[in-house]
Amino acid sequence: MITFLFRGLLYVVSAGLGLIAADLLLDGFTIEWDKWWGFVICILIFAILQSVLAPWVGKMANRYAPVLMGGIGIFSTLISLVVVALLPIGGLRITDLTGWLLGAVIVWLITALGSVLLPLLFLRKKVAAVKGQRR
């Protein structure tokens, strides 16, 4: 259970980093920092949607369009961004096509890298301690 919660927390952090990176890199992708609570809710909803949509979109693509299997992560990220940007709570605004398309790619890339690298970063000390005990 602890591992599940730890991985969930790291995924939420990587989703937040992806959204912040897209905000810094794109003009049409804007985090509304004055509505910080809305942004926090957006991160949580985005992470939950992404976790639920990725397997569902994968199943649909496998059934109806197997050629699209490679783009499942980006497509589910785009769907999650659409839902989060349309929420009336504020926190995230995407205004142009570049923001939508490149934003989805940037968020997907940072989230994917964060999902792989953040556990390594946080668990490095624990792995080193276990290796030291074995010697």
Side-chain angles (χ1 to χ4, degrees), residues 8 49 74 111 116 120 123:
L49 281 173
I74 294 173
T111 303
V116 172
L120 295 176
L123 298 176

Side-chain angles (χ1 to χ4, degrees), residues 32-114:
E32 298 173 345
W33 292 105
D34 57 332
K35 298 178 183 174
W36 62 271
W37 52 270
F39 179 62
V40 170
I41 293 171
C42 284
I43 291 172
L44 294 173
I45 292 172
F46 174 83
I48 291 168
L49 281 173
Q50 182 71 5
S51 298
V52 170
L53 285 174
W56 180 77
V57 170
K59 190 181 293 184
M60 291 294 118
N62 192 30
R63 181 179 297 159
Y64 298 112
V67 174
L68 299 176
M69 286 302 290
I72 295 307
I74 294 173
F75 190 65
S76 62
T77 300
L78 182 61
I79 293 170
S80 299
L81 285 175
V82 167
V83 171
V84 169
L86 293 176
L87 290 174
I89 57 174
L92 181 66
R93 189 169 32 112
I94 305 173
T95 57
D96 60 5
L97 186 62
T98 304
W100 283 107
L101 297 179
L102 285 179
V105 172
I106 290 169
V107 171
W108 168 76
L109 183 63
I110 299 295
T111 303
L113 288 173

